[in-house]
């Protein structure tokens, strides 16, 4: 290894010396704080078994990461050649060194992207890689990584400690028995790794396998679901179970944040049609609109924080969905209207002191126009951090520039990494801490806030807002 | 008072030394120019009586300012506890020291917001406060402010002079007798404080109390309104009266900028339905679309500049509206479409040399996409400054960045403060002058304009564009 | 000429010294590269005849340039007085010195606009003007320009060489005989000046003169168009002809990117209605949606790169269209929805390795929300550069900030100037090269990319991406 690969200690900071001085000072106070990871998709199995490992470098960095595979696919590399599992029996590459080589040959595609920055930080600072990933260095780096991954210091559990993660929340189906979380609780890890209740598969009447999911919901809850009333009871039962298992939040995904109350008899008839497999698209949309109100009602009653992720049109590419299933990089955002859609829910629960709702968007045009004004009014409402494609240096800056002036920092929910890529958690939080400190330094150097305020806001951004928002 | 509270003399300026040098030089030429305030909501009563005062510090800074109360409400403080008057008889806090203490206890919520910056500037530079507002300093500062507010140097009239306001336009209902403006004219203040004709309450068929407003319009105009023709005549009469009283502009608010001409018989039948209380929502929308064309026609004829404020969904929170009425911080923007909606109006009057239309938006995504291209074509059209939530340092920068490149500075209307908070007028204009000078300095230091151009543009931004746009 | 008019050698670069050093270094590597101009509207007649000239200074800089005339018109100057030809016989100014004077008298309107920057660069650096254009200097500068325009060094052909243009693609109607391109090929210029196939006038059933265009398409193709089948055959014939004449791309403009496949019998019946002059608006929209799929199919088969320009509502101002025709500055953008509209086309051809689709938008809100995620997934899809109103310093920065993080640079198509103003080609490319180098310098100085990456990306931006995207 002859070339040296490093990252600037000032990465993410603007270059002006006056601003840089403040940014460094602020960052020094938050850089090493424990990580609060209140929302993400790390598989709990990875952490429940103390001896679980990450597999090969390709298993860790490429195959399950749709940020990586979508970019390679967009430039003509078939997903089969990257080892992405198929569900139609199409054969895939099984040589992980070959997968790694393809990735390295195209690593330049990630220039200027957050994925590129995360990967560099992980390779350099988590795994000690010292030469830049290129076609030429690829196999040497593979050897290096494989060697590290075989060491006990590089198990998920060991990295969890090294990453200084105070708490990590997973996202779990409403019907999940939470066996891994049960194991974690028995090992004394229940306060550090918590489940989140995600009922989409039983709330979206047109979700794949809805009927089977309802049957499973009956089984798991012990409530025989024969109508809307028993369905609600089963959901309430599962929420209580999740809460007993350490959950502090729920999570919901919809294409649009439509909310509207149905008449009681409509709930019954739509649900009956769904059980008979005859629910229409309109039924599904109206049912979802009503269920968001029901979920808000339950949150007000049981205190679980409600998260709402809106605006991703899933599985845009039919042929790829047929072959590979969901979550392979073909989910595309659409425009989102919040002001009218959320009004029924906010009028019912927006001022309820027991209720808390966190919103996440893929349509940045709503930041200043709708979301910040709503969060700057309704007590129950907080804005989640920049999500998905916007979890980038520029995306964070746009968010801070547009949201804080209107909503105020206190009406936001701090940061969450929302990742299934466990090894990327520290770098994602680190970038947020850097960008927020740099942004605050910019405000301070322009005389818009004083440095005392900047210091307090840096701590808020790093951990306090997330802890408060998620009741952690 | 032991701690010192100050604002940077360079606030709002970027830190780069080369840019800063130019920004300071430009700002020095405009900082002390008289204030042109062509649109706002200061109650004329405050200025018509030379002995009128502001009341307590809570009366001045908190109770009537929905920028302040919404933020406190959003973090769980009931509006009742802030002294906001109720219309349903719910008791409210009457101890203004207690209200002030609650405000001070939560002053950190305004960190990084324009409200926070305005408040700091007012307290420090208008009222001479020298220690930062905190829970601990709260009552000392209250004493200080109360003492100042009792002095003759701190009446609205005295501050009007001190603020160096050349002209201030209020916003007044079409049915307003303009008694305060009459008094001001008699005192020789008619050129400095002018009314603006705002007919929304008689043009929006579904405005609260529309029938009573029409009756009042009959009374005030002396035209018995029995049909659409007499209604139009009454409006024309009131416009002529406002013009005689010094008005140079009208103001109109709509949810959408829909314009379309009705057939004459439709005007009559819809107006008849409205008089009988049977107008539908569709009637109201189509009537508004036609009336905007009528108002443009009248503006072309009488020369009053037409202002159009679009996109605020008023009174989003039903329960709060029931208790407190309008204007308590629950007005939320929606998306706005300009290109197709305004086309009928612009095709009729957009090239009329007698007509001038100023547009204001709450949907920044339209700045570069629709508004700047429209203003860069139609001679009658100018873009108003960043409005409401966007009257912030960042909001101004986004506006300048997106509008000027396409519309050109000459197709904008300078700045207006649009505030009912009289004491905040100088700081709002000051921030605009700072941000525009800093923005021009950025253009100059990057070689995109020369310094002669920057100097001329700084003067345009500070006063000349507003004077020209409003014929002041 | 006493005053000196110059442009900063660092124009377009941010002022921070560390960033500036990198920006200069990157720019030095690309500043003098040949120009790749893969999409634009230069009339081929200008280049086909070696002795063709530009006419007067007003002919070159004012009369045909709707960027210039729209801004003057927006401030009250009639187009007639600027010499813009009328089609209704209204007399126009014929004294080009008077036109030039009007332009000079209002040159301040272009302060801070890209047009202002282009004009300054052209006057100073192409034509050697040394005093600033003002009312006073106007006629001296006219003399200077007229003198230069009479010299052989200032013919289009001579400037083509001086501008170091490697290749320039024109945009040509599907029915164009390409006589000028034939002449160019015979002169050995066929590789440097290429046509582009633009079939809008025969694909949009409601385009002015559609029937005549179809008759012309029959003539030019030799295929008698009697039904949809022969219509498709005629189009395929013309594409083959354009390809033989050097074309590598097609170009399509639509108001919305709606795509959906019609049943074969629907194609026939709608086309028959169109031939009989009875096609409805719905027919036209559905036909366009189908034809975009047909054009994609043809592109996959013949390899011509497909360009799609979306979102301009043409001829917004009826009275001006009546008098002056199209392209006089009254085309106004509308919101654009890509995710759902393009889904049928992308599902059919988005993964076809023979197909390439370039998208251009006038709705920047779609950059990060829809376009970058789509381009970051579908292999056939690339994003075109900032278009029309956004071909500005700020527009380029917004594009780079929002697109690259999600799409990756490799999923973009470099720069194109899209201009009919031949003399502005070098300055437009120069600004893009400056802004992209400055943007990369910003990324490098913040430690987000290293300088090796920045260097490679600067070359990509300057020429390589465009060459690859357009197969040049």
């Amino acid at each position: 290894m002859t070339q040296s690969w490093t990252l600037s200690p000032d990465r993410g900071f603007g270059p002006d010396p006056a601003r840089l001085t403040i940014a460094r000072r602020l960052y020094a106070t938050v850089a090493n704080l424990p990580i609060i990871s209140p929302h993400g998709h790390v598989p709990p199995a990875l952490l429940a078994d103390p001896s679980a490992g990450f597999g090969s470098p390709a298993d860790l960095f490429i195959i399950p990461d749709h940020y990586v595979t979508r970019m390679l696919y967009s430039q003509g590399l078939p997903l089969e050649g990257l080892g992405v599992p198929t569900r139609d029996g199409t054969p895939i590459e099984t040589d992980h060194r070959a997968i790694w080589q393809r990735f390295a040959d195209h690593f330049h595609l990630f220039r200027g992207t957050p994925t590129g920055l995360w990967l560099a930080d992980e390779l350099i600072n988590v795994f000690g890689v010292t030469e830049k990933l290129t076609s030429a260095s690829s196999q040497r780096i593979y050897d290096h990584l494989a060697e590290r991954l075989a060491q006990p210091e590089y198990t998920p559990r060991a990295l969890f400690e090294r990453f200084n993660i105070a708490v990590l929340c997973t996202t779990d189906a409403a019907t999940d028995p939470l066996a891994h979380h049960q194991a974690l609780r028995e090992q004394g890890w229940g306060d550090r790794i918590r489940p989140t209740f995600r009922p989409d598969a039983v709330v979206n009447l047109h979700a794949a396998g809805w009927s089977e999911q309802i049957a499973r919901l009956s089984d798991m809850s012990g409530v025989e679901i024969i109508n809307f009333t028993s369905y609600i009871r089963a959901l309430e039962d599962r929420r209580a179970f999740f809460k007993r298992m350490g959950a502090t939040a729920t999570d919901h995904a919809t294409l649009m944040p439509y909310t509207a109350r149905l008449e009681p008899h409509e709930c019954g008839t739509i649900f009956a049609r769904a059980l008979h497999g005859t629910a229409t698209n309109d039924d599904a949309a109206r049912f979802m609109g009503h269920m968001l109100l029901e979920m808000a009602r339950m949150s007000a009653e049981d205190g679980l924080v409600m998260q709402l992720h809106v605006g991703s049109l899933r599985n845009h590419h039919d042929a790829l969905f047929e072959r590979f299933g969901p979550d392979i990089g073909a989910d595309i955002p659409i425009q989102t209207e919040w002001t009218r859609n959320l009004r029924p829910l906010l009028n019912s629960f927006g001022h309820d002191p027991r209720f808390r709702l966190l919103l996440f968007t893929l349509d940045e045009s709503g930041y200043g126009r709708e979301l910040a004004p709503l969060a700057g009014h309704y007590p129950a409402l907080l804005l989640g951090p920049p999500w998905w494609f916007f979890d980038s240096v520029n995306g964070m800056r746009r968010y801070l520039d547009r949201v804080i002036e209107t909503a105020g920092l206190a009406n936001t929910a701090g940061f969450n990494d929302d990742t299934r890529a466990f090894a990327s958690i520290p770098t994602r939080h680190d970038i947020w801490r850097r960008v927020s400190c740099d942004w605050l330094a910019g405000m301070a150097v322009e005389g818009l806030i004083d440095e005392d305020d900047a210091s307090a806001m840096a701590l808020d951004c790093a951990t306090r807002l997330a802890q408060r928002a998620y009741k952690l």
Side-chain angles (χ1 to χ4, degrees), chain A residues 50-345:
Chain A
S51 66
F54 287 114
S56 79
D59 285 325
L60 176 56
F61 287 106
I62 306 170
I63 296 169
D65 190 337
H66 59 75
Y67 288 76
V68 171
T69 55
R70 77 171 178 92
M71 185 68 84
L72 299 171
Y73 178 78
S74 77
Q75 284 288 308
L77 279 76
L79 294 181
E80 293 87 339
L82 300 170
V84 178
T86 53
R87 54 185 194 182
D88 67 355
T90 307
I92 61 172
E93 177 69 72
T94 55
D95 177 351
H96 283 200
R97 282 189 178 272
I99 293 168
W100 185 261
Q101 187 67 43
R102 279 181 199 119
F103 167 60
D105 291 345
H106 295 84
F107 191 58
H108 60 274
L109 298 177
F110 298 96
R111 287 171 180 154
T113 70
T115 307
L117 191 58
W118 298 329
L119 289 168
D121 199 2
E122 292 172 64
L123 291 172
I124 295 169
N125 292 316
V126 177
F127 288 94
V129 171
T130 57
E131 62 177 341
K132 191 169 176 177
L133 183 61
T134 63
S135 295
S137 68
S138 168
Q139 295 304 320
R140 282 193 301 276
I141 290 174
Y142 189 94
D143 291 338
H144 175 91
L145 293 170
E147 183 192 339
R148 294 288 171 109
L149 287 167
Q151 297 172 4
E153 293 83 0
Y154 287 87
T155 61
R157 274 284 185 94
L159 288 181
F160 195 98
E161 300 287 9
R162 177 172 155 200
F163 291 168
N164 194 18
I165 299 175
V167 58
L168 179 144
C169 300
T170 63
T171 302
D172 311 274
T175 52
D176 192 299
L178 302 183
H180 298 301
H181 289 87
Q182 183 58 44
L184 284 160
R185 292 174 74 77
E186 287 162 7
Q187 296 165 45
W189 280 64
D191 290 345
R192 299 181 71 183
I193 301 173
R194 295 169 177 274
T196 300
F197 179 77
R198 182 162 187 165
D200 293 344
V202 290
V203 169
N204 178 351
L205 300 183
H206 284 163
W210 181 80
S211 296
E212 293 72 25
Q213 289 297 319
I214 292 295
R216 192 165 159 77
L217 180 60
S218 286
D219 287 350
M220 298 303 301
S221 64
V223 178
E224 191 191 1
I225 299 175
I226 53 169
N227 53 26
F228 185 71
T229 307
S230 47
Y231 168 73
I232 291 294
R233 207 162 60 239
L235 287 169
E236 289 173 336
D237 176 87
R238 292 306 291 165
R239 292 174 68 106
F241 171 69
F242 270 70
K243 202 173 160 184
R244 286 196 303 276
M245 295 293 286
T248 69
T250 72
D251 185 28
H252 309 266
T254 62
L255 189 58
M256 295 192 305
Y258 172 76
T259 64
R261 197 173 294 284
L262 295 176
E263 296 297 317
H265 74 273
E266 290 178 300
C267 298
T269 53
I270 290 176
F271 194 79
R273 280 200 289 275
L275 285 178
H276 288 87
T278 60
T280 65
N281 285 335
D282 185 59
D283 283 343
R286 296 178 69 217
F287 191 76
M288 178 63 86
H290 180 81
M291 285 305 297
L292 291 178
L293 280 157
E294 281 289 322
M295 289 295 166
R297 194 254 316 152
M298 293 181 203
S299 276
E301 292 176 3
D302 66 18
L304 293 176
V305 174
M306 182 173 178
Q307 298 177 86
L308 189 55
H309 287 83
V310 175
S312 179
L313 183 69
R314 303 278 173 172
N315 312 314
H316 191 271
H317 191 159
D318 295 336
L320 242 59
F321 180 66
E322 290 299 313
R323 177 163 297 171
F324 296 98
D327 297 328
I328 45 82
D331 302 330
I332 310 294
I334 60 166
Q335 282 189 37
T336 301
E337 200 286 335
W338 297 93
T339 302
R340 296 195 238 220
N341 278 319
L342 271 191
R343 193 174 180 188
L345 189 152

Side-chain angles (χ1 to χ4, degrees), chain A residues 335-364:
Chain A
Q335 282 189 37
T336 301
E337 200 286 335
W338 297 93
T339 302
R340 296 195 238 220
N341 278 319
L342 271 191
R343 193 174 180 188
L345 189 152
L346 291 172
N347 264 292
S348 294
F349 299 103
H351 57 280
D352 190 321
R354 305 168 303 165
F355 181 55
R356 182 166 301 152
L357 175 64
L358 312 187
L359 300 181
F360 298 82
T361 194
L362 293 172
D363 180 0
E364 293 176 303

